[in-house]
Structure formats: C-alpha cells, structure tokens
Amino acid sequence: MVFETLEWVGGVGGYLEMIDQRLLPGEFLKIRCTDVESLYDAIKTLAVRGAPAIGVAAGYGVCIAVQGLRGGDLSAALLGIEKAVEYLGCSRPTAVNLFWALDRMKAAAGRFAAENPGADLPALKEALLAEAHSICRQDKEMCKAIGRHGERFIKEGAGVLTHCNAGALATAGQGTALSPMYEAHGMGRRFCVYVDETRPLLQGARLTAWELGQAGIDATLICDNMAGVLMKQGKVGAVITGADRIAANGDTANKIGTFSLSILAKEYNIPFCIAAPSSTFDLSTASGDEIPIEERGADEVTSFGMRPTAPDGMKVYNPAFDVTDAANITAIITEKGVIEKPNADKIALHLKDVNHGQDARATSD
Ligand code: MRU
C-alpha cells in the first residue's frame, strides 16, 4: 500500500501514529496517540475505524497504558493493564476484534508474569510491545491471504459492489473486502468496483473511493439506494463486504445497509461474500441476535457537514451496524480459505486449529 493506516513509532516509550480518517478525503493528516484517553477518543470518533484496525490500535493502546506505570511490582502492573483493557473496551461495542486484541494483550501480560516471577516492569513492557507488534503483523498477513483466497470471486470484465470501507484503511494491511480486489488488480484483471456511499458517515464515499483511487482501481460511487437498480441491470457480478463480528452460526454484523444488500443479492442470484479474518469470528456468540449493535448520535443523521438536513429536535434511529443472516451469505472468505454456504459446523471445522496466541509466541520468540 502507498500509505500506513496505523504504525507504532519507536520502542516501549514510543507512540501510535494513525491516519485521521475523519478528515479524508479532503486532508491527509496523521495523529499521534501518546495517552490512552486520546486513543479511546480516536476509536470512538472514528479517527481509526474498521474492525481489524480498531483491534490493532487497542493492542498498542495497552502498550501506551503501561508506559505510565512505575515501580517493580508486576501484580500492580497487571491491575493497571486490566483497567486499561476495561476502559478501551468501552469505546465501541460491535467489532469483536477490539475485545479479541484486548484479551490477547491481557493474556500476554498474565502469561509473562506467571512465567517470569522475578521479572521487572521494563521486561513486561517489552513483552507487551512484542505482542502488539505480533497482532499487527498477523493482521497484515491475514489480509493478504484473504485477497489470495477471494480474488476468484472477481471475474474479468465484471462489476463488484462493496459497502462501507473494509480496505487498507480498516486494517493494518491491505484490507479484507478490498483485498481480493487488490489481488485481482495486481494480476491484471479488469473489473469495476461500485462503491456504496454508506450513509450516514460516508465511509464508502470518503474512504473506499479514496483508497481505490490511490491504487488506480476503476471505481464508481453510488448512493446506497441505487444498488438494487444496478443489480437489476446485471452490472453486479458479486458483492463483497467486510464484517465486524461473525457469530458461531455465520450470522454477520457489518455496517448498516449490508443486510438489505444481501436480500437484493439473493433476489438477483448474485454471490454475496463476506471477507474477514479469523479474529472477527466470535464463537461465544451463538447467533446474530446476541451481537451488540452500536447506536450513534442523532446529529450524524440530521446534518450534512455542518448543515442541518432535518427539522430541529427530529427523532432519529441510528444503528451503526446490522446483522446479515448466514442463509443470505454465499461465502465467507478468511485467511484460511473459503467457507461456502456457512453454518455452525463448517465454521467450527474451518477455525479448529486457529490459535493466534500460540502463533504469536512462536513468531515473536
Ligand atoms: O463504523 P466503522 O467505519 O468502523 O464500520 C466499519 C465496517 O463496518 C467494516 O465493514 C468492518 O469493520 C470491516 S473492516 C475490515
């Protein structure tokens, strides 16, 4: 990619630098997070967003939190880490990658303390930074592998529709839903991407359109309510979106509007694919009914830029995500391959040997 969405700068005393996605496409600016509060704010206000990117950022957030800890007592440090994990976990509720990464950081701290009883705080800080780097590195690898497994869904000369932004801006690597597009483009395949603008925060128009442009991929922006017409006209060969959380049975939470797209795709017999790393699966959630859906402020719906677009005091319902039933999903593309017509058994089998914690230890040694 020609840009790094987020990057740790320096050693244990370093900081997290991230593209401020609130400003794109007008301005390309980076922000530095040097304290946990500013990172919490960056996640909450969508300066950094997209499930995998939130997870990677949160991992580094724990490294920032321990920077302020003093003294040699590791059990006090573990309590401090627990507090930071709890705090960062309140920033956004739906993307499970946030909790996955925080759990991993907490487990790494506990494991380090148990295995190194005489160790001091600086050594714990080093171990946590190694874990956060490992989460980041694995995210990049998973993105690339998703692209390799998913490029076959993009046919020569076809149109592919995507919703929100599940590209490089939403991950540490080359994205999830956009990764197959980058792979197909790299192989010289010609296709065009229809980009849903993605009301109300316009992640499609502001972010996906921008990043596909950076890569030189042919893209056409549409309003969300135009997807059905395009499908009816035969212009969409596949729909590929990302995911914020995939339940054990395959029900998938993603940006609001994804569910309606899945119904349209079913009507027109168009493959509807979800691209997501194994860190986006939540096997402790049996079905989509149990996935917590973030509701955001009314102002996101009642204004455009700084201008009001609705009467003062208008009642608003603004869920940021919806759940697509597994039955509507043609395939889930992960770093391990493709789950066709997903269901609980196929998902359990597909993920049976995934153990990021152990991989992390093996690769960071
Ligand atoms: O509210 P956002 O911008 O964080 O929502 C992002 C999405 O819904 C993405 O599709 C999802 O997180 C997958 S990102 C690879």
Side-chain angles (χ1 to χ4, degrees):
M1 297 310 304
V2 291
F3 56 85
E4 289 282 347
T5 295
L6 70 179
E7 196 173 12
W8 182 260
V9 180
V12 284
Y15 57 87
L16 183 61
E17 190 172 78
M18 305 185 287
I19 298 173
D20 187 343
Q21 301 190 31
R22 296 165 296 197
L23 305 178
L24 284 171
E27 281 177 84
F28 182 90
L29 272 184
K30 294 204 169 182
I31 48 171
R32 286 178 182 187
C33 288
T34 54
D35 58 74
V36 195
E37 289 73 23
S38 64
L39 180 63
Y40 175 95
D41 190 58
I43 296 174
K44 187 144 190 96
T45 62
L46 276 58
V48 60
R49 31 70 47 208
I54 295 171
V56 173
Y60 284 123
V62 174
C63 301
I64 295 171
V66 293
Q67 285 173 344
L69 301 177
R70 301 277 174 265
D73 180 7
L74 285 197
S75 54
L78 291 183
L79 274 179
I81 289 165
E82 204 156 309
K83 266 176 69 181
V85 163
E86 213 168 289
Y87 174 63
L88 288 169
C90 292
S91 55
R92 295 193 75 186
T94 304
V96 78
N97 307 59
L98 171 67
F99 308 99
W100 171 85
L102 289 171
D103 283 352
R104 237 180 100 161
M105 293 302 288
K106 199 168 132 180
R111 200 166 55 231
F112 178 85
E115 289 171 3
N116 305 279
D120 58 7
L121 194 53
L124 174 64
K125 290 180 182 178
E126 292 285 358
L128 286 173
L129 185 59
E131 187 73 359
H133 280 327
S134 168
I135 290 173
C136 182
R137 190 176 52 242
Q138 285 175 1
D139 188 56
K140 291 182 188 196
E141 290 163 3
M142 290 193 283
C143 286
K144 182 80 184 153
I146 287 171
R148 283 196 298 265
H149 293 303
E151 53 81 12
R152 70 176 163 91
F153 289 96
I154 300 167
K155 308 287 183 214
E156 174 71 28
V160 51
L161 190 142
T162 192
H163 190 67
C164 194
N165 173 266
L169 287 167
T171 65
Q174 65 179 35
T176 60
L178 299 197
S179 184
M181 303 177 202
Y182 290 127
E183 288 300 310
H185 181 65
M187 294 160 83
R189 205 166 304 151
R190 282 162 306 163
F191 57 95
C192 80
V193 184
Y194 292 105
V195 179
D196 267 1
E197 64 175 353
T198 316
R199 279 276 291 155
L201 293 182
L202 304 178
Q203 287 94 331
R206 295 188 303 104
L207 308 176
T208 299
W210 179 82
E211 82 162 80
L212 290 175
Q214 299 291 305
I217 294 180
D218 182 20
T220 298
L221 182 63
I222 59 166
C223 299
D224 300 331
N225 49 7
M226 297 169 185
V229 163
L230 276 182
M231 291 185 188
K232 195 172 183 183
Q233 291 170 348
K235 290 185 176 152
V236 180
V239 178
I240 310 182
T241 77
D244 284 85
R245 192 185 295 226
I246 303 174
N249 70 346
D251 290 351
T252 295
N254 190 50
K255 179 55 56 193
I256 189 77
T258 306
F259 166 59
S260 343
L261 278 180
S262 77
I263 293 183
L264 282 170
K266 204 172 181 179
E267 173 71 17
Y268 291 103
N269 221 3
I270 295 168
F272 182 89
C273 306
I274 297 288
S278 49
S279 50
T280 302
F281 287 79
D282 178 6
L283 299 187
S284 71
T285 298
S287 79
D289 296 341
E290 293 170 27
I291 299 178
I293 299 294
E294 176 181 10
E295 281 191 39
R296 296 185 63 88
D299 54 319
E300 292 181 353
V301 179
T302 56
S303 59
F304 195 81
M306 301 301 278
R307 297 176 59 169
T309 53
D312 248 5
M314 187 70 207
K315 279 197 290 183
V316 167
Y317 176 48
N318 185 18
F321 301 96
D322 58 26
V323 173
T324 298
D325 308 75
N328 292 359
I329 299 172
T330 311
I332 300 179
I333 307 158
T334 79
E335 78 276 14
K336 289 166 57 63
V338 175
I339 313 169
E340 313 261 2
K341 296 194 181 132
N343 62 31
D345 289 344
K346 289 185 191 176
I347 288 172
L349 189 67
H350 187 83
L351 297 178
K352 73 176 186 326
D353 54 0
V354 169
N355 187 338
H356 297 284
Q358 268 166 9
D359 293 351
R361 262 177 290 170
T363 51
S364 60
D365 283 346

